[in-house]
Each structure stands twice: as C-alpha cells, then as structure tokens.
Amino acid sequence: KVVFISSLVLEYIKQLDESGVEIIVNKDTNTLIINSAEFVIYDESEYQNIKIETGSGIEVNSQESLKNFKKVEFSAGRDDNLALQCIRMCFESNKLILIASDTFRMAKCEQIVTNEQLIDCSVHSLSLNAIYEILKECEVVKIFKENNNLIFSNNKSILKVRLIELEFPNWKSIFQGFT
C-alpha cells in the first residue's frame, strides 16, 4: 500500500509522451518514482482505512438518487448553522427520504429502495460533489452506516463521508398531512 497525492501523479502521467510507465516504490526514501520523477509517499497508518463492505448495505438506484439529491440541495443551509448545512437521509419502510432546509424553506424527495435497516443521518452539503461523482459511475450504489460515517460503494469506488451529528428540524411534523 502506498499513500501519495494523486492529483500530482495523475497530472504528471498525463504529460508523459511515452506509452510505458515504470513505477518504483522506495520505502527507504519515502518516494514513488515514476520514470525519472520522484513523488513523496506518506505513512499509510496515518490515514483512514476503509473496510470494503459486502454485507447488508442498502442498494439505491444511482440515477434516481442523483436527481433527488439535486432537487433538495438548494434548500440546504448556507449560514453558520452546521445542523442545516446538510441533507438529511432517512431510510425507512422501503423508502429513501432526502430532506434539506435553511429554516426559510424545506425540500423533500422520496424514492423506493429495498432496505431492512432504519437509518436517519445528515450528510454535509460539502460532501455532495463527491457523492454525485460516485452516483454517476454506476446504476446501483450500496450505502452502509458505520458509526458516524456513511459509506457509498459501487463496483468502481468507495466513498466514506463523516456525518453531522446535530439535531435536524422535525421535518415529519412539518410534512404531516401532505401527500
């Protein structure tokens, strides 16, 4: 395992005219050598280890989820109130409910999912661009909750997002009576 700044390495590789690339890891000097260029590598123990879940994650239709996230995103708070700078994700009775609010407006979208777990969590709005990218890659994404993190996994990528653990407004009472 090697940890390095991927953007620098990818940019360097894009600039190469050669068809072959030689990659050498030198643990003694903490460098990654690509052809003649050297890049610093970091101690992997200092970075989060993401377990690859294979169990009972909740499968969601990626394209439908992407559309629904974008529909509610505009309502997420932009001020200093961290509890509102998020999208609330509620998995209940075979539904994924996405809610966002900035105290002046509230948006809600629902989609059908197959789930046996009840999960209620808030994802920071700054994480949305990364979530959008993982949703664009495949038709189905599995979602797992692990402590105070939400893990999005498809057959190409894994994204681990830290959750906001502050109280979200009581959206159920606000939408009560609406269909």
Side-chain angles (χ1 to χ4, degrees):
K1 294 181 187 178
V2 178
V3 178
F4 57 90
I5 299 175
S6 61
S7 58
L8 293 174
V9 172
L10 290 174
E11 195 59 39
Y12 175 74
I13 291 173
K14 286 179 192 176
Q15 302 299 322
L16 292 176
D17 291 333
E18 304 159 23
S19 60
V21 176
E22 181 183 17
I23 300 174
I24 300 169
V25 176
N26 187 335
K27 293 270 186 175
D28 295 332
T29 60
N30 286 332
T31 56
L32 174 69
I33 303 165
I34 300 176
N35 290 0
S36 60
E38 292 186 6
F39 299 91
V40 175
I41 58 174
Y42 301 96
D43 181 8
E44 66 189 66
S45 65
E46 295 177 13
Y47 294 87
Q48 239 181 15
N49 188 13
I50 299 176
K51 294 185 296 185
I52 299 176
E53 298 281 350
T54 57
S56 59
I58 299 169
E59 288 190 359
V60 298
N61 177 301
S62 298
Q63 299 313 305
E64 186 178 359
S65 296
L66 182 61
K67 287 177 192 172
N68 289 338
F69 268 108
K70 289 186 176 198
K71 283 180 185 176
V72 299
E73 177 184 12
F74 78 94
S75 289
R78 306 272 189 259
D79 60 6
D80 291 336
N81 187 347
L82 188 59
L84 296 176
Q85 293 178 6
C86 61
I87 292 183
R88 190 75 174 170
M89 297 178 68
C90 301
F91 294 92
E92 56 185 43
S93 58
N94 294 323
K95 286 191 283 189
L96 166 57
I97 304 167
L98 301 173
I99 307 104
S101 176
D102 64 0
T103 69
F104 297 105
R105 58 188 169 203
M106 184 175 276
K108 173 185 163 198
C109 275
E110 294 183 11
Q111 77 183 70
I112 303 298
V113 297
T114 304
N115 68 305
E116 299 167 6
Q117 305 171 28
L118 297 177
I119 298 176
D120 213 5
C121 57
S122 296
V123 176
H124 196 286
S125 58
L126 292 177
S127 301
L128 291 178
N129 286 334
I131 292 171
Y132 292 164
E133 290 304 314
I134 203 166
L135 289 173
K136 286 179 193 175
E137 288 181 344
C138 294
E139 290 182 30
V140 175
V141 168
K142 271 192 169 184
I143 301 174
F144 304 88
K145 185 167 188 251
E146 176 190 89
N147 300 323
N148 63 342
N149 296 294
L150 206 59
I151 299 170
F152 295 80
S153 173
N154 62 30
N155 59 3
K156 296 180 180 180
S157 305
I158 298 171
L159 173 67
K160 190 172 190 176
V161 178
R162 184 162 184 161
L163 299 173
I164 294 177
E165 296 177 328
L166 298 172
E167 191 168 334
F168 192 79
N170 185 351
W171 64 271
K172 289 181 181 180
S173 66
I174 293 169
F175 284 105
Q176 199 170 27
F178 287 101
T179 55

